[in-house]
Amino acid sequence: MTAITSPTSPATLTSTFVRLKLSLLRNGLRQSGGRRFAFVSSAVVVLLFAALQLLGLIALRGHAHADAVVVLLAAVMGLGWAVMPLFFPSGDETLDPTRLVMLPLRAGPLVRALLVASLVGIGPVFTLLLFTGSVIAVAHGPAAYAVAVVAVALGLLVCVALARAVAAANIRLLSSRKGRDLAVLSGLVIAVGAQFVNFGVQRLGSSGLGQLDPAAEVLRWIPPASAIGAVDSVSRGAYGTAALQLALSAGAVAVAVAVWARHLNRLMTAPDGSTLQAASEKSVRDRGDTGVARLLPGGRTGTVMERSLRYVWRDPKTKAAWVTSLAIGLIVPVFNALQGTGSVYFACFAAGMLGVQMYNQFGQDTSAFWIVALTISSRRDAYVELRARALALLVITLPYATLVTVMTTVLLRDWERLPEVLGLSFALLGAMLATGAWSSARYPYSIPQEGYKNVAPGQSGLAFMSIFGGMVAAALLCAPVIVLTVVLRTTAGGDAWGWVLLPVGAVYGVGVAWAGLRLAAPRVARCLPEILGAVSKG
C-alpha cells in the first residue's frame, strides 16, 4: 500500500493557512450583523488603546526608569498570551488543534504554517504596537534600532508560539468540564488582577517608578521581556548582555515551537482514552467513603449538605460565584488595610459577600429542583432542607469570615476591636441566612447554565427583589447589634465592654437565622409548584 503524502511545498502550505485564517474571520463576520458590529467595535477599541499605549511609551523615552517599565510591560504581555487560551479557548477557532488531526500533514510543516497564520488578528497587532513603543522608548543609536527590529519580531513570536503551545498541551482539559470551569472563572481572574493593578498603581504613584527596578532586573532575563531588554542593553553599550538576551528569546521560540509540535503530533497519532479509565474508576467509587461525607451528619441534613458542597465544587456557575465572593471578600478589607486607608470593620465585607450565596437557593438547582421537590411533603421537610443548605454554607463561611477578620485586625494592629467585629460579622451572616432563605422561597428565579448570564430573560425584576431587597432587610435586621456597637463606642468606658459584642452577635445571628428558616419553610412547602416553574425557565 502506498502511503499518502502531501506534495504541497512549505511556502504554499503557509499561504493556504493564512488565507484560511482570513476566510474564517470573513465568514464569521457574515453570520450576523450583531457579530460584525461586535468585532468591528472591539477592534476599534483595542487598536485605539494600542495607539494610545504606543504614544505613551514614546513619550516615556528619556525617562530614567523607562527600561524598567517596558521590560515589566513585556513580561505582563507574555503572561497574558500564556494564560489567555486557558480562559478563552473558544475565542479563536484555529486554537483547537483537534480540528486539524485528519489532515494528511506532518506536525513540523503544520506548526510552521499555523505559526505564521497566528500572526493574523487583533491580538498580534496590539502586541506588535506595544512592543514597537517599548523599543522606541529605550533605543538610542543606530545599533539599538537595528536590534529593536529583531527584538520586536522575537517578542511577538514568543507570545504567539507560547499561546499555541499552551493551547495544544491543554486541549483535552479545555474541551472538558474543568476547561469550561476555567472559562467561567476568567471574569474573576480579570477582576482580581484589576485590584492588584490598582494597588500597584497607587503604590507607584506614592513611591515613584523606581520601585520597578528590582523586578525589572529579574524579568529582563525572561522571554519575551528579554528581547526588549536587549535593546536597552545595546543602548547602554552592553553588547554581550544584549546578545545573550536575544539568544534567550530565540531559544524560547524554539522550545515553544518544539513543545507545540510534540503535542500536535501526539494529538494527530494517539487515541483519546484520557477519560475512559477515570470514568470507570469513578463510577465504582463509593461516594459515602469520601472524606467530606464522613464529617457530615446523617439523614437528610447530611445528604443535602453534601449535595450543596458538591455544587460548589462541580457546578461552573456556582463555583464562579463562590470563588468571586471569596476573593472579593478578602481583597477589599486586606488591600485597604495594606494601603493604610482601611478600617477593621471592613472585615464584615467577607461575611456579607458569602452570605449572598444563600439567596436563590432553589434557582441554583435549575430544572433538577423537581427531584428535590419530590422529597418535600411537609413544613418539616422544607425546614430541614433549608437548614441543611444554610449549614453547608456555614461550613465555609464561618472559618473564612473569622480568618479575614483576624487578618485585617493583624494588619491594622487593632486587637481590641476583634471581638466586636467578629460579633458584627456573625450577626450579619445570620441575618443574611434568614433573608436569603425567605427570598429563595418568595422570589426564586432561574440561572441559565449556558453562557455568562446569571438571570433568565424576563426575571431580572425577581433577581433584583431577591438580592437587593434581601440585603436591605439583612441590614435592618442587624440594626440592634450595630446600635449596641455605636453605643459602646460613644459611651465613656464603653470600650471595656466591647468583648460583649462577640457572644451577643453570635447568639443574635443564630436566633435570626433560625427565625428566618422557620418563616420560609411553610412557604416553600406550600408553593413548590410556583418555585419549580420559576427556577425551570430559561
Side-chain angles (χ1 to χ4, degrees):
M1 181 180 294
T2 304
I4 299 177
T5 59
S6 175
T8 307
S9 65
T12 305
L13 182 63
T14 300
S15 63
T16 300
F17 271 84
V18 171
R19 292 196 303 271
L20 177 62
K21 180 67 175 288
L22 294 173
S23 298
L24 288 173
L25 292 175
R26 184 172 57 254
N27 294 336
L29 297 178
R30 290 176 176 174
Q31 290 183 3
S32 66
R35 183 167 182 174
R36 184 162 51 251
F37 173 78
F39 178 83
V40 173
S41 59
S42 61
V44 170
V45 171
V46 170
L47 293 179
L48 180 61
F49 180 71
L52 293 175
Q53 290 285 327
L54 176 63
L55 295 176
L57 289 169
I58 294 175
L60 195 64
R61 180 180 173 83
H63 193 279
H65 302 287
D67 58 329
V69 173
V70 298
V71 165
L72 188 63
L73 191 62
V76 172
M77 182 60 62
L79 178 63
W81 274 91
V83 302
M84 202 60 67
L86 297 177
F87 295 132
F88 300 100
S90 59
D92 185 355
E93 294 178 346
T94 62
L95 280 175
D96 187 358
T98 59
R99 298 173 180 266
L100 311 172
V101 296
M102 298 303 294
L103 296 178
L105 300 171
R106 295 186 181 276
L110 189 59
V111 164
R112 288 192 292 271
L114 287 173
L115 181 60
V116 177
S118 300
L119 299 176
V120 178
I122 300 176
V125 173
F126 176 83
T127 306
L128 178 63
L129 292 175
L130 205 64
F131 284 169
T132 301
S134 298
V135 296
I136 292 176
V138 295
H140 301 283
Y145 280 107
V147 172
V149 176
V150 180
V152 170
L154 283 176
L156 182 58
L157 288 176
V158 168
C159 292
V160 174
L162 184 60
R164 288 287 183 168
V166 171
N170 296 277
I171 188 60
R172 301 300 187 196
L173 170 66
L174 298 178
S175 59
S176 65
R177 178 179 57 83
K178 291 183 178 181
R180 292 190 292 271
D181 292 352
L182 285 174
V184 172
L185 294 176
S186 59
L188 169 65
V189 174
I190 295 174
V192 174
Q195 293 295 329
F196 279 101
V197 170
N198 179 51
F199 179 67
V201 169
Q202 292 183 5
R203 292 290 300 272
L204 290 175
S206 60
S207 304
L209 296 177
Q211 287 200 347
L212 298 178
D213 290 341
E217 289 298 323
V218 176
L219 293 175
R220 66 174 62 249
W221 294 101
I222 301 176
S226 59
I228 307 301
V231 181
D232 178 63
S233 297
V234 172
S235 299
R236 292 185 287 106
Y239 298 106
T241 301
L244 183 58
Q245 289 172 321
L246 289 177
L248 286 173
S249 300
V253 174
V255 170
V257 170
V259 172
W260 179 14
R262 178 182 179 185
H263 285 284
L264 187 59
N265 184 69
R266 183 181 301 174
L267 289 170
M268 297 173 70
T269 58
D272 180 20
S274 58
T275 58
L276 298 179
Q277 184 177 359
S280 62
E281 292 176 355
K282 189 173 183 179
S283 63
V284 299
R285 186 184 303 161
D286 185 6
R287 60 187 298 269
D289 292 337
T290 60
V292 176
R294 287 198 300 266
L295 300 176
L296 299 178
R300 181 185 183 116
T301 299
T303 302
V304 175
M305 289 180 67
E306 184 180 2
R307 184 184 69 224
S308 298
L309 293 175
R310 286 181 181 272
Y311 277 167
V312 174
W313 181 250
R314 292 185 175 182
D315 181 65
K317 289 290 182 72
T318 306
K319 180 187 292 187
W322 268 95
V323 175
T324 302
S325 298
L326 289 169
I328 297 178
L330 177 66
I331 288 173
V332 170
V334 170
F335 271 44
N336 279 279
L338 289 173
Q339 297 177 43
T341 60
S343 168
V344 70
Y345 294 104
F346 282 2
C348 296
F349 203 80
M353 287 299 300
L354 294 187
V356 173
Q357 303 307 315
M358 187 64 188
Y359 293 81
N360 196 33
Q361 277 291 309
F362 306 127
Q364 298 175 16
D365 297 348
T366 62
S367 58
F369 178 68
W370 72 271
I371 302 177
V372 178
L374 293 176
T375 66
I376 299 177
S377 58
S378 64
R379 295 182 178 181
R380 174 65 182 174
D381 292 338
Y383 171 73
V384 174
E385 176 74 24
L386 289 171
R387 184 187 63 185
R389 291 174 182 248
L391 289 175
L393 187 143
L394 288 175
V395 168
I396 302 174
T397 305
L398 272 180
Y400 178 79
T402 303
L403 176 62
V404 172
T405 303
V406 172
M407 288 180 60
T408 307
T409 304
V410 170
L411 292 173
L412 294 174
R413 299 178 181 177
D414 196 0
W415 288 101
E416 65 176 6
R417 297 192 183 186
L418 177 60
E420 60 187 74
V421 176
L422 280 175
L424 282 172
S425 295
F426 295 157
L428 175 61
L429 183 57
M432 298 197 76
L433 291 178
T435 56
W438 171 254
S439 67
S440 296
R442 182 66 180 83
Y443 302 107
Y445 59 91
S446 177
I447 301 178
Q449 291 300 293
E450 300 296 332
Y452 294 92
K453 294 182 179 180
N454 290 319
V455 181
Q459 293 187 325
S460 299
L462 285 175
F464 178 82
M465 290 298 299
S466 175
I467 299 177
F468 182 76
M471 293 175 67
V472 172
L476 294 176
L477 287 176
C478 288
V481 182
I482 296 175
V483 170
L484 178 59
T485 304
V486 174
V487 169
L488 290 178
R489 277 291 161 189
T490 56
T491 304
D495 291 347
W497 292 93
W499 62 270
V500 175
L501 286 168
L502 177 55
V504 169
V507 172
Y508 183 81
V510 171
V512 169
W514 175 83
L517 295 174
R518 284 291 184 184
L519 289 174
R523 180 172 180 82
V524 172
R526 185 175 63 253
C527 302
L528 277 177
E530 291 85 348
I531 296 175
L532 181 59
V535 302
S536 299
K537 292 182 179 179

